[in-house]
Amino acid sequence: MWPNDRFIKLCGIELPIIQAPMAGSALSDMVVAVSQAGGLGSLACALLSVEQARKELETIRRRTSRPINANFFCHRPPRQDSAREMNWRRRLDAYYVQLQADNSPSIPNSARSPFDDKMCDLVMDFHPEVVSFHFGLPEKNLLLRVRNVGAKILSTATSVDEARSLEDQGCDAIIAQGFEAGGHRGMFLTDDVSTQVGTMSLVPQVVDAVKVPVIAAGGIADARGILAAFALGASAVQIGTAYLHCPEAKISPLHRQALKGTRDNQTAITNVFTGRPARAIVNRIMREVGPMSDVAPEFPLAAAALTPLRAKSELAGSVDFTPLWSSQAVRLSRELPAAELTKRLAAEALGNLRSLQTMACGA
Ligand SMILES: Cc1cc2nc3c(=O)[nH]c(=O)nc-3n(C[C@H](O)[C@H](O)[C@H](O)COP(=O)(O)O)c2cc1C
């Protein structure tokens, strides 16, 4: 039925749609809804403690026996650089004064810890059918433990070089993440955002370069995007921002509101929120300090200094300092429950495919 069924067969799912892992925004409700609908629901664990991740996985396993994906960041832990952090706080000083916010360095740094033994123990306990990583892959021993549990291993590539590197290290499928994507760039062999590739160019080149199935991600939000991804050789799509509009998404009312009013040319890649490049809706801090800043500390250390500014401004109903992660395709999204969105996207993509086939036959 689907032009390419390699990924659905690999994972034992019905529909070639992965609900993207979205740290802080997609928890058990979303994962269960998408997996029950026949897609692959993804639990992003990067912002969860081990206890929180365990609770979410318990809930998910209680509510569905369908395949699920557990997702982890695997960046190199940052070097502490107090001079750089001090510079960063100094760069933000005027905002602290203006908002009368607390600028004390004792404010704890954000979570976003890389995959480690404790998270790996969780994988052993819950046996997610798929485990996906962002920012490369973890060290060999951890990867071997995941493989021995029988999980299919996925990671994100933003270039052909990254895709080849992931395949060489044993990935079962590769997520080709184009420049349009919302949230953090999965880039791990470069930190040069100026050369990042769009989905349309990236997907077919990755398909040509690797033998494993390729999943297209970035700017896909409706049936047309899904069909295009298959035409480019993908075996599935990973969709993030479109799921942020679902009632199951754990985002603030301010973020939800901002997504509704955003146009194609109102997002940008920025490192001011965490220290790593990520796509978000342009706001005051991005305009005035970024979007890319040389002063921002290494990922994820940049985040801590922004926390009090964000808290103060959100209290006043402002998103001046809030990371409003979003795709360039945000306007294509619809507000539907996650299960319905998943089923409709798949049905509409197949409908479009049949129309094209009929047109081709009639021609
Ligand atoms: C709010 C948000 C949070 C994200 N968090 C993660 C994450 O924790 N792990 C991950 O692998 N990808 C994460 N991503 C990236 C997605 O996996 C995916 O590449 C992207 O959403 C696809 O582009 P789209 O937003 O245009 O659909 C996130 C994306 C968004 C929008």
Side-chain angles (χ1 to χ4, degrees), residues 1-337:
M1 181 152 85
W2 290 96
N4 181 329
D5 62 2
R6 290 180 72 200
F7 186 73
I8 53 180
K9 281 194 170 143
L10 179 77
C11 300
I13 55 177
E14 285 168 30
L15 308 175
I17 297 178
I18 307 177
Q19 160 255 311
M22 292 186 283
S25 307
L27 295 173
S28 47
D29 286 344
M30 177 89 84
V31 180
V32 170
V34 174
S35 285
Q36 280 295 99
L40 185 65
S42 305
L43 179 71
C45 298
L47 281 172
L48 302 178
S49 66
V50 175
E51 296 69 34
Q52 288 168 328
R54 176 175 293 281
K55 257 180 118 176
E56 291 297 315
L57 286 165
E58 275 168 3
T59 307
I60 292 167
R61 283 308 200 197
R62 206 172 41 245
R63 291 172 53 198
T64 181
S65 54
R66 300 278 180 101
I68 57 156
N69 170 29
N71 169 267
F72 303 92
F73 284 178
C74 52
H75 53 285
R76 219 190 34 234
R79 289 157 301 208
Q80 290 292 338
D81 182 341
S82 43
R84 196 162 170 191
E85 287 194 41
M86 199 48 78
N87 273 345
W88 183 229
R89 283 177 191 277
R90 243 182 248 131
R91 178 69 187 81
L92 302 175
D93 237 1
Y95 301 117
Y96 285 101
V97 173
Q98 193 188 355
L99 295 176
Q100 296 178 324
D102 178 13
N103 183 11
S104 88
S106 60
I107 292 160
N109 258 308
S110 75
R112 298 192 177 90
S113 301
F115 188 63
D116 59 9
D117 274 313
K118 287 194 176 131
M119 282 294 189
C120 200
D121 291 343
L122 269 192
V123 171
M124 306 288 120
D125 291 347
F126 289 93
H127 293 93
E129 290 73 10
V130 177
V131 172
S132 72
F133 295 102
H134 215 44
F135 314 134
L137 286 168
E139 49 120 331
K140 273 189 182 152
N141 284 345
L142 289 173
L143 198 61
L144 194 64
R145 288 181 66 198
V146 175
R147 178 160 301 294
N148 287 342
V149 159
K152 302 298 176 211
I153 297 173
L154 274 49
S155 186
T156 296
T158 64
S159 66
V160 167
D161 284 347
E162 288 179 351
R164 286 204 176 108
S165 158
L166 294 175
E167 184 178 49
D168 290 347
Q169 293 176 77
C171 272
D172 297 294
I174 286 162
I175 302 151
Q177 187 197 39
F179 196 53
E180 299 92 321
H184 283 95
R185 311 278 321 131
M187 56 209 284
F188 60 94
L189 291 181
T190 177
D191 51 16
D192 180 1
V193 286
S194 69
T195 54
Q196 287 285 283
V197 187
T199 304
M200 188 88 173
S201 304
L202 181 67
V203 172
Q205 294 188 71
V206 170
V207 168
D208 288 347
V210 300
K211 295 193 178 65
V212 295
V214 174
I215 299 140
I220 301 169
D222 66 12
R224 294 168 295 183
I226 297 175
L227 209 56
F230 275 91
L232 297 173
S235 312
V237 292
Q238 176 159 297
I239 297 179
T241 303
Y243 279 99
L244 288 179
H245 296 258
C246 300
E248 292 89 342
K250 305 282 183 222
I251 58 172
S252 68
L254 288 173
H255 192 170
R256 204 174 276 279
Q257 195 56 38
L259 289 168
K260 281 184 194 164
T262 297
R263 296 198 300 272
D264 54 341
N265 60 355
Q266 291 179 320
T267 71
I269 300 283
T270 182
N271 66 347
V272 299
F273 295 112
T274 64
R276 249 185 192 269
R279 184 172 293 283
I281 299 169
V282 176
N283 62 0
R284 181 179 176 195
I285 180 93
M286 285 170 68
R287 262 193 311 273
E288 294 178 4
V289 178
M292 295 298 290
S293 163
D294 292 339
V295 190
E298 242 183 278
F299 179 86
L301 301 178
L306 282 174
T307 306
L309 298 175
R310 176 181 173 179
K312 275 270 179 171
S313 66
E314 284 185 2
L315 269 181
S318 154
V319 289
D320 281 354
F321 300 92
T322 305
L324 302 165
W325 308 130
S326 170
S327 168
Q328 288 184 326
V330 58
R331 279 231 314 216
L332 298 176
S333 307
R334 288 171 291 181
E335 274 177 69
L336 289 172

